[in-house]
Amino acid sequence: MKKLKSFFKRNLPLWYLDQPGIIFGYDKGKIKKLQNKFEGQRCFILGNGPSLNNMDLGLLKNEFSFAVNGIFYKTDEMGYKPSFYVVEDGAVMRDNKKRINEFKSDYNFFPSIYKKDIHNRENTYFFNMDRSFYEKRSPYFEIPRFSVDCSQKIYCGQSVTIVNLQLAYFLGFSEVYLIGMDFNYEIPASLKIDGHVFESTEDDVNHFHPDYFGKGKKWHDPKLHNVLKSYKMAKLMFEIDGRHIYNATDGGKLDLFDRVDYNSLFSK
């Protein structure tokens, strides 16, 4: 298998290499059945900034919500569980493989390249992840794109939130509320830096839990300017279809989307 993959990397054109699902297998038909399943409904997409600690996640009990990566710390803390759980980043997968396999939601979405890492296949969907946004040799390097058919592929865009926004669109949600999107990173002087890969040597100050990217865990340069480009694309795609993305984060620096008060979204 290793020799076969090496052959593909040497001989296939870039376009083909940007289609990992072709090589690794993804759940095209299974995902296609979910298209517009939640048409006209609203959902919440959680970021993992410190402001998430100011939000009453208990209000989401009867709501559809997306969460990612180390959200299991919130489950440990107060029992919150999302409807949809997504991991994009390879470093997150490597550092949290056991917890990710233990975590359960109604819909778990992972790139097909991590298929070998996921042993818990209950409610699990493997999608075709296009990483060309990160590939310097790609004509789409750092150029945002937005998939309207997640059964075919989902584009990376510097943040796993971009994956969630494409999924929310594909699933038919008409209103999306972002929370915990602080859009602000402190880069500690104590970091070990290897190119665009960072390794923490102390508690994480950029997320809702100190262990999220805590000591010994690796993460990537957040490149917020690239995240903003992808957010602008997502905003445009929703709005030309008569749908909306709102920012219900408590504070933070993400001002692209119209702001709403989180607590006002729920009846007393």
Side-chain angles (χ1 to χ4, degrees), residues 52-268:
L52 199 65
N53 290 324
N54 303 331
M55 319 298 284
D56 179 3
L57 299 186
L59 295 173
L60 299 179
K61 183 177 180 180
N62 297 315
E63 301 283 346
F64 295 109
S65 64
F66 291 74
V68 303
N69 300 343
I71 194 62
F72 41 74
Y73 290 118
K74 273 296 177 191
T75 305
D76 295 343
E77 175 191 329
M78 47 81 69
Y80 164 74
K81 274 197 171 185
S83 318
F84 306 89
Y85 177 65
V86 181
V87 175
E88 173 201 327
D89 193 300
V92 172
M93 181 62 71
R94 287 189 295 272
D95 288 341
N96 301 279
K97 194 181 300 185
K98 184 176 184 294
R99 292 300 309 264
I100 290 169
N101 273 282
E102 292 172 344
F103 195 75
K104 296 181 180 180
S105 72
D106 296 332
Y107 302 87
N108 302 305
F109 286 92
F110 305 107
S112 60
I113 55 174
Y114 303 143
K115 211 167 190 178
K116 68 184 187 305
D117 300 308
I118 301 299
H119 311 298
N120 176 15
R121 302 294 177 86
E122 184 180 1
N123 302 328
T124 296
Y125 299 78
F126 293 101
F127 63 88
N128 180 17
M129 180 170 70
D130 187 312
R131 298 187 73 261
S132 53
F133 189 91
Y134 302 133
E135 302 293 341
K136 289 185 178 180
R137 59 191 181 130
S138 168
Y140 296 103
F141 175 56
E142 296 191 343
I143 295 177
R145 288 185 286 171
F146 190 95
S147 175
V148 297
D149 187 351
C150 292
S151 71
Q152 296 285 345
K153 68 174 64 176
I154 299 178
Y155 296 109
C156 294
Q158 201 65 53
S159 167
V160 65
T161 303
I162 308 306
V163 172
N164 282 341
L165 285 167
Q166 290 169 82
L167 282 169
Y169 184 98
F170 175 76
L171 294 170
F173 289 105
S174 59
E175 291 184 356
V176 174
Y177 296 91
L178 307 178
I179 63 173
M181 303 292 182
D182 292 39
F183 205 62
N184 181 45
Y185 274 83
E186 294 182 27
I187 307 298
S190 61
L191 277 181
K192 295 179 181 178
I193 300 177
D194 181 9
H196 68 284
V197 178
F198 300 163
E199 182 177 340
S200 296
T201 61
E202 56 188 353
D203 287 351
D204 185 355
V205 298
N206 292 305
H207 295 87
F208 66 83
H209 194 282
D211 293 337
Y212 191 94
F213 283 140
K215 185 177 181 179
K217 289 191 174 181
K218 293 182 179 179
W219 46 295
H220 294 102
D221 183 346
K223 296 184 178 179
L224 293 182
H225 65 286
N226 277 340
V227 180
L228 185 60
K229 287 192 293 188
S230 293
Y231 278 156
K232 287 179 179 178
M233 171 64 79
K235 183 175 187 287
L236 174 64
M237 292 301 294
F238 270 77
E239 289 181 351
I240 62 178
D241 199 31
R243 304 194 239 178
H244 299 281
I245 303 170
Y246 300 97
N247 186 4
T249 298
D250 180 19
K253 296 183 178 181
L254 180 59
D255 295 320
L256 174 66
F257 305 105
D258 291 337
R259 294 244 185 195
V260 296
D261 178 71
Y262 175 72
N263 292 312
S264 71
L265 299 171
F266 306 93
S267 57
K268 301 297 183 183

Side-chain angles (χ1 to χ4, degrees), residues 17-40:
L17 290 177
D18 284 337
Q19 317 304 311
I22 292 175
I23 297 175
F24 294 97
Y26 59 101
D27 297 325
K28 179 177 179 179
K30 189 176 174 182
I31 296 172
K32 189 68 174 178
K33 292 178 181 178
L34 298 178
Q35 188 167 16
N36 293 322
K37 180 178 175 66
F38 304 95
E39 185 172 5

